[in-house]
Amino acid sequence: MNRKTLVLPAVVGLLAPVLAACGGSDSGSSGGDAIVVGTTDTFTQLKTRPAPLDPAYAYDVGTWNVLRQTVQTLMAYPKGDGAPQPDAAQSCGFTDSGNERYACTLRKDLKFSDGTPVTADDVKFSMERALTIKDPEGVFALLSTIDTIETKGDRQVIFHLKTADATFPFKLSTPVAGILNPKDYEKDKLREGFSIDASGPYTLKAEVKDKSMVKAVFTKNPNYKGLLDVKNDKVELESFPSADAMGEALSKGDIDVMARAMTPDQIDKLSAKTNGDINLVEMPGLEIRYLGFNTEADSVKNKAVRQAMAQVINRGQLVSEVYGTQAEPLYSMVAATVTGHSNAFLNKYGDPSVSKAKTRLTEAGITTPVKLTMHYTTDHYGAATKKEFEVLQKQLNASGLFDVSIKGYRWQEDDYKTKEQKGQFDVYGMGWFPDFPDADNYISPFLDKDNTLNTPYVSNKIRNQLLPQSRREADRLSAAKDLTEIQDIVAEDVPLLPLWQGKQYIAARDDITGSEWAINSSSTLQLWELGRGVKG
């Protein structure tokens, strides 16, 4: 078994990808046929969401995986994980002691894929555009600490921040901070359809059927200059209706790589194989799953109801029955391996207890059983989500304190996220793939102003005191005190209820090289790492 180690400074411990089954050659090739990668992510243009691939709108792991191949950012991540490094930029850094002024110098002779020079004004245009459009999806909030953007000449960009933000270099590595060609994008309107014009490692040609992108064809951009070493000439990302269909295509050789989302059974079967022509890569991940609450809804408005749910739910049993060794129970919204994590929910509630939950409800004057519906998405986080919610339903109803029903929706076709944002769900299941590996990114997207959930819950102490204080600390260990207090407040008020943290997997045929680097701990596809070698 071949092992390689990745180091993520913001994460405690080592991230070690593990390859099972046969191993291919380590030497890749940039030539040959296109490498075909399968996914169960869907990319659909709807009336309510006409611009699925616009960086000022897109804010889910699937669309970001398309944008990261095509849209270049000032900063990016090196092979594997680690602190962000200059990509479109030649250099970047804070120029003051208070972390409120951040300056970048662009690489010389940087060009968009059509050969047009990339300038500092293009950087300014792209980020101000996202802030101007301010799409309800909430991705613009990643740039919300920007006050003004100054340019000097064609290559220097200076960001003046409203408040100290030590996480700002990480935010400049996200697609919303991507540099766009102004001739192809309006400054105050989203770009509809599936076209992308930028300066990233690949250009995109979308194959569309019934307003859905069924295949994204990525071709190496000859004008790309940056941090990344592109090891192939072409990659095709093909969407499948199910994990089973994707797995069958891999077995037949119709695709070369199987990415998210595989089922637990598929992973177990591939893990058990000691020979064959398919490699399974496993690595610790930073993905989390949680329940969210509309804290203004009658059924869960009283926090005693939410606390009782936190007291009853048995995470260990949930993980064991649904995901086995592929996940771990999680007791905070901050992933367990990220600096600043604390087991806030375990500290407050201890082991699952029906009697303690009953006491909480009785003291609050709540009549039992509490009737409510938990909503989940059937297709966005994998086929096992339905079983996960069936187990949660069984646990809560078995307590005698709840009368829970569950209802599933498709992510795009049923507009699951919009329904949640409009407050149509009292309780809902969501997942989170971090924008960057810092504790702030497990808190502010849900609890800060302009958050992605549009939650009615507000903690002024978190928003106005603890988050700003934590962002002043460039040494993230020094922010631990504030971050711990935030997690304790969440455990007390339960606007969100963390469930589990998952591992990351990718499967590839044995003539594909670089598969161990083709996905990082945040589920970001790094297709430029793939090559075609010799069968094992």
Side-chain angles (χ1 to χ4, degrees), residues 372-525:
L372 55 87
T373 301
M374 296 196 302
H375 306 264
Y376 67 95
T377 172
T378 59
D379 58 348
H380 190 60
Y381 299 119
T385 307
K386 180 181 179 181
K387 184 178 179 181
E388 176 182 338
F389 272 74
E390 290 172 344
V391 172
L392 289 170
Q393 178 190 33
K394 184 178 179 180
Q395 288 183 0
L396 290 166
N397 288 347
S399 72
L401 303 176
F402 295 93
D403 179 8
V404 174
S405 59
I406 59 175
K407 187 171 183 179
Y409 296 81
R410 294 170 297 176
W411 181 260
Q412 290 195 332
E413 289 85 345
D414 295 330
D415 227 359
Y416 180 83
K417 183 72 179 296
T418 299
K419 285 182 169 65
E420 175 275 311
Q421 289 178 328
K422 290 182 176 180
Q424 295 180 23
F425 302 153
D426 292 6
V427 187
Y428 51 91
M430 295 290 282
W432 184 246
F433 302 84
D435 307 322
F436 51 90
D438 187 275
D440 180 275
N441 195 240
Y442 289 90
I443 298 168
S444 59
F446 316 117
L447 300 177
D448 208 353
K449 184 181 178 182
D450 297 320
N451 63 78
T452 185
L453 297 176
N454 194 32
T455 177
Y457 171 81
V458 176
S459 167
N460 288 320
K461 188 169 187 180
I462 290 176
R463 287 189 183 182
N464 302 328
Q465 179 183 334
L466 297 174
L467 274 176
Q469 284 176 183
S470 71
R471 289 170 180 156
R472 294 189 184 103
E473 302 293 345
D475 178 358
R476 302 309 284 159
L477 280 171
S478 300
K481 181 176 181 295
D482 293 324
L483 294 169
T484 297
E485 187 171 354
I486 292 172
Q487 291 164 85
D488 288 343
I489 292 172
V490 172
E492 169 64 29
D493 293 347
V494 200
L496 307 162
L497 203 167
L499 296 173
W500 56 266
Q501 177 175 344
K503 298 177 182 178
Q504 302 298 325
Y505 296 89
I506 194 167
R509 301 193 67 82
D510 67 352
D511 63 331
I512 298 299
T513 62
S515 58
E516 67 271 32
W517 303 113
I519 189 169
N520 70 12
S521 59
S522 300
S523 288
T524 296
L525 286 177

Side-chain angles (χ1 to χ4, degrees), residues 310-316 331 349-356:
Q311 187 69 75
V312 168
I313 288 174
N314 188 326
R315 295 169 177 81
Y331 299 93
Y349 299 98
D351 293 331
S353 170
V354 173
S355 63
K356 289 181 180 179

Side-chain angles (χ1 to χ4, degrees), residues 4-16:
K4 295 186 180 181
T5 301
L6 303 175
V7 181
L8 180 58
V11 177
V12 178
L14 300 177
L15 302 181

Side-chain angles (χ1 to χ4, degrees), residues 140-161:
F140 72 92
L142 285 169
L143 306 177
S144 62
T145 55
I146 295 175
D147 185 14
T148 60
I149 303 175
E150 177 187 359
T151 61
K152 291 187 176 180
D154 286 339
R155 294 179 55 211
Q156 190 171 12
V157 187
I158 303 168
F159 299 93
H160 300 276
L161 307 182

